[in-house]
Every structure is written in structure tokens, then in C-alpha cells.
Amino acid sequence: MTFPLLFAALLVAGAACAQNANAACAPARDAAQPDAAEMHEAEVLYLPTPHPVVEAMLRLAQVSRTDVVYALGSGDGRIPIAAARDHGARGVGIELDGRMIERARCNTREAGMERLVEFRQEDLFRADLRAATVVTLFLFPEMNRRLAPNLLSELRPGTRIVSHRFGLGDWTPDRTIEAGGHAVLLWKVP
């Protein structure tokens, strides 16, 4: 095989690999029935946190490169990715929906943050949160209220919890700010 033919074959093979890689990052178009975890996840509406609110949440929590930031209900991964990209922190996304995990992992690859960010397909009420130094939330008030006892019992004193928009039941936030018309609330575990 001559060099020009070999080069052409390599170009075609490379293009096919690139196309497959892009296809892997595309949202799933599978019409198959969702599994039990996906059915449970369907009960929770996915609303992405606007990027300016993500930035405000991470600033309010004073995230640094020494932190491990957990995003509960991590969706497309924007919070753990931003924590890694903008602050050098490790990011861990906890998400039940397998399709969102795929999208988050793709977004992580595109951002070049695979070394610092991981995603786990888990129920956030059962996830082991002990390694977290920062926990981020954008969950409905009832979910936050149910989650508060887990956060208090599992997280170490000084761990910061930041929520977009909703409180943690009767637990009064240490600080509340506004970002683009959205409330951002901060607690420190006593």
C-alpha cells in the first residue's frame, strides 16, 4: 500500500471514529421503555441551574482546589464541571437518570475535566456524601427537607451546603444572596 492510500485510509478511519465519538455524546434517541430508576427520576423535573447562578453558588461556598464538590441531582453536570474548571476542585455528580449521566460525562469530556470530575448513577438519598466538603442542590423544597437529616448526619462540621432557590426545611441558612433574580442559600454544617 502506498503512502497516499495509507494516509487516505487513516483519514477515513479517523473521521469514522470522530463521528462515533460525537454520536456517543448526542442525547439518546432510544425509544425503549425506561427502567425503574428512570421512572423514579421522571418524577423529578429537570431544570438546569443558569450558569450565572452556578458561578454565584460556587463563589458563595468559597470553593477552592482543596474542595470536593458534590452536586445532588447533577443533571447535565454543569456544577461539578464549573467547580473543576473554574476553581480546581474535584467534582462529583450524583444523578439517577442514566441519560443525564451520559450527557454529563460527554460535557465533562468536552470541557477536558475528566481528571477532576466523576458522575455516579445513584439515588441521592442513599449516596455516601462523607467525602464532600461542599454540597450543591437545586431540588424541590420537599426533597430538600427530606435530605436535611442525611446532610446533618453524614457531612463533617464545616462542610458547606449551597442551594439554588429552596431552603432545607426549618434549618435557617447562614447566608442568602441573589443572583440574577434567583435566591442562593448557604449553610455550614455545625
Side-chain angles (χ1 to χ4, degrees):
M1 185 177 252
T2 66
F3 179 76
L5 287 175
L6 179 61
F7 185 71
L10 288 173
L11 281 176
V12 169
C17 288
Q19 187 174 13
N20 288 341
N22 289 338
C25 289
R29 293 187 186 107
D30 188 344
Q33 293 294 325
D35 63 21
E38 291 170 335
M39 289 300 290
H40 174 72
E41 183 64 21
E43 296 172 12
V44 179
L45 176 65
Y46 169 65
L47 294 172
T49 300
H51 291 288
V53 177
V54 170
E55 294 167 15
M57 291 173 77
L58 298 174
R59 273 195 319 272
L60 182 61
Q62 297 179 336
V63 172
S64 74
R65 70 182 61 242
T66 62
D67 283 312
V68 180
V69 178
Y70 275 55
L72 304 186
S74 59
D76 66 4
R78 64 185 58 200
I79 293 175
I81 292 168
R85 182 190 60 230
D86 302 339
H87 301 274
R90 281 198 48 239
V92 178
I94 306 294
E95 175 61 55
L96 197 56
D97 186 333
R99 293 166 295 192
M100 294 306 298
I101 291 280
E102 283 180 36
R103 183 181 299 169
R105 288 179 177 151
C106 175
N107 292 341
T108 302
R109 283 190 302 276
E110 288 178 352
M113 292 291 116
E114 309 95 274
R115 187 176 54 82
L116 291 173
V117 178
E118 68 176 281
F119 293 93
R120 301 176 187 164
Q121 186 171 0
E122 295 182 65
D123 181 332
L124 58 87
F125 290 102
R126 295 189 180 131
D128 181 354
L129 307 175
R130 292 174 294 177
T133 58
V134 175
V135 173
T136 67
L137 311 167
F138 183 25
L139 305 170
F140 287 118
E142 178 59 22
M143 290 186 75
N144 280 2
R145 187 190 63 71
R146 286 180 42 214
L147 191 58
N150 297 24
L151 297 173
L152 282 166
S153 68
E154 283 191 45
L155 298 175
R156 292 172 293 195
T159 300
R160 287 96 67 206
I161 302 165
V162 162
S163 178
H164 171 200
R165 190 169 284 163
F166 302 114
L168 288 169
D170 295 335
W171 189 3
T172 304
D174 295 309
R175 188 162 174 220
T176 302
I177 65 168
E178 191 173 295
H182 299 255
V184 179
L185 302 90
L186 172 73
W187 296 262
K188 287 188 181 175
V189 176

